[in-house]
Amino acid sequence: MKASYKKYILDFKRPSGTSRGVLTQKETWFIIIEDQGKRGIGECGILRGLSIDDVPNYEAKLQWVCSNIRLGKEALWHALKEFPSIQFGIEQAFLSLQAKRTFELFPSDFIEKGNPIPINGLIWMGDEAFMHEQIAQKLAQGFRCIKMKIGAIDFGREIAMLKSIRSTYSREQIELRVDANGAFSVEEALAKLEILASLDIHSIEQPIKPGNPQAMQFLCAKTPLPIALDEELIGVFDTEKKATLLQTIQPQYIILKPSLIGGFKGSKQWIDLAEKYGIGWWITSALESNIGLNAIAQWTYLLHSTMPQGLGTGSLYTNNLKSPLTVAKGNLYYDNNQKWQPNLIEVLCI
């Protein structure tokens, strides 16, 4: 058994605004395992400036993993506790190696019968005209759940846009989620949550910056609309600390990004704790290529959640790797009439 890694730069079709600035490119890394004539591939979806493993020795850690690939999936996962994106890449690569077909990691009716996964339509941060354009596009595409990034422009203008949606579509017609990415100050957060609640918002992700559990606990206790933790989960490795965080803050929801929290195994730990404490959850991708998105989607389908998931980032890039994943009428599908990019692994191994 041997392994190698490959860096790949994804180019955005248009600059995409986040709370950490405007993105034009997204770096990702692939791990390729070879054993007895078979190959498996996994994506290490690091997000610079957000991932806890955004560290200077990241590539050196990938080299170490490839040198020690014979340790196997479980031993490597535990050895990579502080590198959750590489944990996720290793999980995928071993599952891919063992699969009948390279990219069918979790056989199910999602693959075999084309059953859908409901997803939200994501509205990126930008100027008012751009955000209105995206809203109109998502509604025309049949989305019934829209997630809007807020905190980048004036709050009053963001509220005006949300009001314009609500003036046309009731909460029964369109579910509205917002993601503040920690943009609100502790002092102003509750007042802003009250304004948002008047617009029948489903939930808000991470209203204040992570790392202030007492303030977040207060907000979750007093909030007029459900709060979902997102960045708050990053960097919490031990199961006991995960339990303490959830028991302390008592959020209404948690958002799980496998690339940021230790892959499938790390995400399942959070899910088990959330269900123990009566906390809701859903899964979200983190700007992976179609290889990582495919793995997350197949795993998510097996969780049998009826909530719209955050799995619609595959069309953002000009040079994404061609896959059977398609989005239609607010759902993600695995379309067996579409094929994976020919010789994809060979291309990545060059």
Side-chain angles (χ1 to χ4, degrees), residues 253-268:
Y253 294 102
I254 57 173
I255 311 298
L256 305 164
K257 294 184 171 78
S259 288
L260 303 183
I261 58 172
F264 304 128
K265 190 181 184 75
S267 298
K268 189 61 167 59

Side-chain angles (χ1 to χ4, degrees), residues 59-273:
E59 187 171 356
K61 184 58 69 171
L62 287 170
Q63 292 173 339
W64 179 88
V65 167
C66 292
S67 298
N68 291 275
I69 199 67
R70 291 185 181 276
L71 292 174
K73 182 173 68 172
E74 288 301 313
L76 287 169
W77 191 94
H78 287 286
L80 293 164
K81 181 173 71 171
E82 296 182 358
F83 290 84
S85 67
I86 304 180
Q87 285 179 315
F88 186 38
I90 283 294
E91 285 181 324
Q92 295 169 61
F94 274 98
L95 286 166
S96 174
L97 183 68
Q98 296 156 7
K100 288 184 179 180
R101 288 183 285 270
T102 303
F103 299 107
E104 296 182 8
L105 310 188
F106 298 98
S108 72
D109 288 345
F110 176 66
I111 296 171
E112 301 301 331
K113 297 183 179 179
N115 285 5
I117 299 173
I119 61 174
N120 61 245
L122 179 60
I123 307 300
W124 287 88
M125 294 179 177
D127 61 36
E128 197 167 347
F130 174 53
M131 294 180 82
H132 269 298
E133 174 190 332
Q134 293 178 86
I135 291 167
Q137 183 183 62
K138 296 301 181 188
L139 295 176
Q141 290 172 346
F143 282 94
R144 289 297 171 260
C145 177
I146 288 178
K147 172 182 166 180
M148 181 172 147
K149 298 272 190 177
I150 62 174
I153 62 176
D154 177 72
F155 183 69
R157 298 209 304 275
E158 290 171 339
I159 292 298
M161 280 188 278
L162 289 166
K163 283 183 176 178
S164 71
I165 299 174
R166 272 289 170 254
S167 66
T168 307
Y169 300 95
S170 69
R171 65 185 300 174
E172 288 75 29
Q173 294 172 301
I174 294 291
E175 179 178 292
L176 284 176
R177 301 173 178 175
V178 295
D179 183 0
N181 286 123
F184 299 166
S185 71
V186 172
E187 295 75 20
E188 68 185 359
L190 189 57
K192 288 188 172 182
L193 294 180
E194 290 170 349
I195 294 170
L196 288 164
S198 68
L199 298 173
D200 289 327
I201 303 297
H202 171 271
S203 57
I204 180 169
E205 294 181 36
Q206 205 67 45
I208 62 174
K209 293 184 184 302
N212 194 341
Q214 285 72 35
M216 190 67 87
Q217 177 191 45
F218 172 81
L219 282 180
C220 289
K222 301 293 184 181
T223 184
L225 78 160
I227 289 174
L229 303 186
D230 182 355
E231 290 92 338
E232 202 80 48
L233 310 186
I234 297 172
V236 185
F237 303 123
D238 299 324
T239 305
E240 295 79 8
K241 291 181 178 179
K242 292 176 181 180
T244 298
L245 179 77
L246 295 184
Q247 288 175 306
T248 298
I249 296 177
Q250 299 181 46
Q252 286 73 35
Y253 294 102
I254 57 173
I255 311 298
L256 305 164
K257 294 184 171 78
S259 288
L260 303 183
I261 58 172
F264 304 128
K265 190 181 184 75
S267 298
K268 189 61 167 59
Q269 290 173 351
W270 281 111
I271 289 172
D272 290 345
L273 289 168

